[in-house]
mmCIF file of all heavy atoms in Angstrom:
data_model
loop_
_atom_site.group_PDB
_atom_site.id
_atom_site.type_symbol
_atom_site.label_atom_id
_atom_site.label_comp_id
_atom_site.label_asym_id
_atom_site.label_seq_id
_atom_site.Cartn_x
_atom_site.Cartn_y
_atom_site.Cartn_z
ATOM 1 N N ARG X 1215 106.394 113.704 62.251
ATOM 2 C CA ARG X 1215 105.717 112.395 62.690
ATOM 3 C C ARG X 1215 104.555 112.123 61.811
ATOM 4 O O ARG X 1215 103.931 112.944 61.254
ATOM 5 C CB ARG X 1215 105.346 112.469 64.186
ATOM 6 C CG ARG X 1215 106.561 112.623 65.078
ATOM 7 C CD ARG X 1215 106.133 112.776 66.562
ATOM 8 N NE ARG X 1215 107.257 113.011 67.319
ATOM 9 C CZ ARG X 1215 108.044 112.068 67.963
ATOM 10 N NH1 ARG X 1215 107.701 110.882 67.804
ATOM 11 N NH2 ARG X 1215 108.932 112.421 68.714
ATOM 12 N N ALA X 1216 104.166 110.874 61.801
ATOM 13 C CA ALA X 1216 103.002 110.457 61.063
ATOM 14 C C ALA X 1216 101.701 110.728 61.888
ATOM 15 O O ALA X 1216 100.559 110.915 61.213
ATOM 16 C CB ALA X 1216 103.030 109.082 60.676
ATOM 17 N N ARG X 1217 101.806 110.682 63.258
ATOM 18 C CA ARG X 1217 100.599 110.906 64.049
ATOM 19 C C ARG X 1217 101.033 112.033 65.119
ATOM 20 O O ARG X 1217 101.869 111.797 65.928
ATOM 21 C CB ARG X 1217 100.281 109.652 64.759
ATOM 22 C CG ARG X 1217 99.841 108.632 63.772
ATOM 23 C CD ARG X 1217 99.220 107.390 64.332
ATOM 24 N NE ARG X 1217 98.674 106.617 63.271
ATOM 25 C CZ ARG X 1217 98.632 105.273 63.292
ATOM 26 N NH1 ARG X 1217 99.025 104.679 64.361
ATOM 27 N NH2 ARG X 1217 98.160 104.659 62.252
ATOM 28 N N ILE X 1218 100.454 113.135 64.949
ATOM 29 C CA ILE X 1218 100.890 114.341 65.805
ATOM 30 C C ILE X 1218 99.913 114.504 66.930
ATOM 31 O O ILE X 1218 99.320 115.606 67.011
ATOM 32 C CB ILE X 1218 101.003 115.595 64.881
ATOM 33 C CG1 ILE X 1218 99.820 115.868 64.056
ATOM 34 C CG2 ILE X 1218 102.240 115.481 63.996
ATOM 35 C CD1 ILE X 1218 99.886 117.226 63.335
ATOM 36 N N TYR X 1219 99.868 113.552 67.860
ATOM 37 C CA TYR X 1219 99.033 113.629 69.033
ATOM 38 C C TYR X 1219 99.493 114.800 69.920
ATOM 39 O O TYR X 1219 98.623 115.287 70.747
ATOM 40 C CB TYR X 1219 99.008 112.302 69.787
ATOM 41 C CG TYR X 1219 98.465 111.142 68.970
ATOM 42 C CD1 TYR X 1219 99.145 109.940 68.953
ATOM 43 C CD2 TYR X 1219 97.236 111.271 68.354
ATOM 44 C CE1 TYR X 1219 98.583 108.913 68.213
ATOM 45 C CE2 TYR X 1219 96.701 110.285 67.693
ATOM 46 C CZ TYR X 1219 97.318 109.042 67.597
ATOM 47 O OH TYR X 1219 96.751 107.990 66.861
ATOM 48 N N TYR X 1220 100.783 115.138 69.911
ATOM 49 C CA TYR X 1220 101.260 116.157 70.783
ATOM 50 C C TYR X 1220 100.552 117.452 70.439
ATOM 51 O O TYR X 1220 100.522 118.414 71.277
ATOM 52 C CB TYR X 1220 102.789 116.326 70.650
ATOM 53 C CG TYR X 1220 103.320 116.777 69.347
ATOM 54 C CD1 TYR X 1220 103.341 118.155 68.948
ATOM 55 C CD2 TYR X 1220 103.642 115.847 68.381
ATOM 56 C CE1 TYR X 1220 103.791 118.569 67.760
ATOM 57 C CE2 TYR X 1220 104.050 116.232 67.084
ATOM 58 C CZ TYR X 1220 104.176 117.636 66.821
ATOM 59 O OH TYR X 1220 104.614 117.970 65.577
ATOM 60 N N PHE X 1221 100.020 117.581 69.231
ATOM 61 C CA PHE X 1221 99.380 118.817 68.807
ATOM 62 C C PHE X 1221 98.184 119.199 69.713
ATOM 63 O O PHE X 1221 97.783 120.291 69.796
ATOM 64 C CB PHE X 1221 98.994 118.642 67.276
ATOM 65 C CG PHE X 1221 98.512 119.928 66.677
ATOM 66 C CD1 PHE X 1221 99.520 120.952 66.445
ATOM 67 C CD2 PHE X 1221 97.254 120.160 66.248
ATOM 68 C CE1 PHE X 1221 99.100 122.104 65.732
ATOM 69 C CE2 PHE X 1221 96.894 121.284 65.573
ATOM 70 C CZ PHE X 1221 97.806 122.272 65.428
ATOM 71 N N ARG X 1222 97.505 118.131 70.380
ATOM 72 C CA ARG X 1222 96.381 118.439 71.174
ATOM 73 C C ARG X 1222 96.707 119.203 72.341
ATOM 74 O O ARG X 1222 95.850 119.995 72.875
ATOM 75 C CB ARG X 1222 95.821 117.017 71.636
ATOM 76 C CG ARG X 1222 95.257 116.215 70.579
ATOM 77 C CD ARG X 1222 94.954 114.823 71.040
ATOM 78 N NE ARG X 1222 94.258 114.013 69.998
ATOM 79 C CZ ARG X 1222 94.260 112.759 70.008
ATOM 80 N NH1 ARG X 1222 94.761 112.071 71.001
ATOM 81 N NH2 ARG X 1222 93.647 112.023 69.058
ATOM 82 N N GLY X 1223 97.999 119.204 72.894
ATOM 83 C CA GLY X 1223 98.206 119.906 74.064
ATOM 84 C C GLY X 1223 98.809 121.318 73.747
ATOM 85 O O GLY X 1223 99.114 122.081 74.799
ATOM 86 N N LEU X 1224 98.947 121.639 72.533
ATOM 87 C CA LEU X 1224 99.545 123.044 72.207
ATOM 88 C C LEU X 1224 98.478 124.041 71.992
ATOM 89 O O LEU X 1224 97.400 123.772 71.447
ATOM 90 C CB LEU X 1224 100.384 122.910 70.941
ATOM 91 C CG LEU X 1224 101.486 121.849 70.937
ATOM 92 C CD1 LEU X 1224 102.262 121.912 69.655
ATOM 93 C CD2 LEU X 1224 102.540 122.129 72.061
ATOM 94 N N THR X 1225 98.766 125.210 72.518
ATOM 95 C CA THR X 1225 97.773 126.309 72.262
ATOM 96 C C THR X 1225 98.588 127.587 71.837
ATOM 97 O O THR X 1225 99.750 127.723 72.100
ATOM 98 C CB THR X 1225 96.988 126.729 73.619
ATOM 99 O OG1 THR X 1225 98.045 126.954 74.649
ATOM 100 C CG2 THR X 1225 96.118 125.548 74.020
ATOM 101 N N GLY X 1226 97.818 128.481 71.276
ATOM 102 C CA GLY X 1226 98.530 129.810 70.872
ATOM 103 C C GLY X 1226 99.446 129.641 69.808
ATOM 104 O O GLY X 1226 99.247 128.950 68.830
ATOM 105 N N LYS X 1227 100.575 130.373 69.860
ATOM 106 C CA LYS X 1227 101.601 130.480 68.835
ATOM 107 C C LYS X 1227 102.314 129.047 68.792
ATOM 108 O O LYS X 1227 102.872 128.706 67.687
ATOM 109 C CB LYS X 1227 102.564 131.539 69.082
ATOM 110 C CG LYS X 1227 102.010 132.920 68.777
ATOM 111 C CD LYS X 1227 103.099 133.961 68.839
ATOM 112 C CE LYS X 1227 102.580 135.346 68.479
ATOM 113 N NZ LYS X 1227 103.585 136.328 68.522
ATOM 114 N N LYS X 1228 102.363 128.242 69.761
ATOM 115 C CA LYS X 1228 103.043 127.004 69.740
ATOM 116 C C LYS X 1228 102.161 125.984 68.883
ATOM 117 O O LYS X 1228 102.718 124.952 68.494
ATOM 118 C CB LYS X 1228 103.110 126.411 71.245
ATOM 119 C CG LYS X 1228 104.048 127.204 72.010
ATOM 120 C CD LYS X 1228 104.188 126.593 73.320
ATOM 121 C CE LYS X 1228 105.177 127.406 74.297
ATOM 122 N NZ LYS X 1228 105.372 126.813 75.536
#
Side-chain angles (χ1 to χ4, degrees):
R1215 298 179 186 269
R1217 297 191 173 149
I1218 53 174
Y1219 296 131
Y1220 66 88
F1221 192 68
R1222 293 172 176 158
L1224 302 179
T1225 56
K1227 288 188 176 181
K1228 292 181 180 180

